[in-house]
Amino acid sequence: MLALLLAALIVGYMAGRTRPYDRLADWADWQVRFHLDRWTTRPRLLALFTLLLVTDPVRTVSAWRRRKNP
């Protein structure tokens, strides 16, 4: 049990240090700006949203609720 907790803490720490959501957000932003193909962009945005939801659910849901789309 202690090993599992320690492994979870290490994985969480590494995810926080590498900031995968920032890298994926930059990648998805570049993909959306320069590749406006509907069938390939939507899965990329879904991957970004899923990763953001997993890594930072509070801010992701808050931003999604307060988005400024018409």
Side-chain angles (χ1 to χ4, degrees):
M1 186 68 177
L2 183 60
L4 184 62
L5 179 63
L6 185 60
L9 287 174
I10 290 171
V11 168
Y13 175 77
M14 292 308 295
R17 296 291 293 165
T18 59
R19 302 197 185 275
Y21 41 87
D22 289 340
R23 292 179 186 200
L24 184 59
D26 291 342
W27 174 79
D29 181 50
W30 188 84
Q31 293 293 323
V32 170
R33 286 179 189 238
F34 298 112
H35 299 95
L36 295 177
D37 181 18
R38 181 174 73 162
W39 298 109
T40 58
T41 300
R42 289 189 182 184
R44 292 175 185 143
L45 290 176
L46 180 61
L48 171 64
F49 181 72
T50 302
L51 184 60
L52 288 172
L53 192 60
V54 168
T55 57
D56 195 0
V58 174
R59 284 193 288 178
T60 301
V61 171
S62 176
W64 185 52
R65 286 183 179 165
R66 292 184 176 91
R67 69 180 188 264
K68 296 181 180 178
N69 289 343

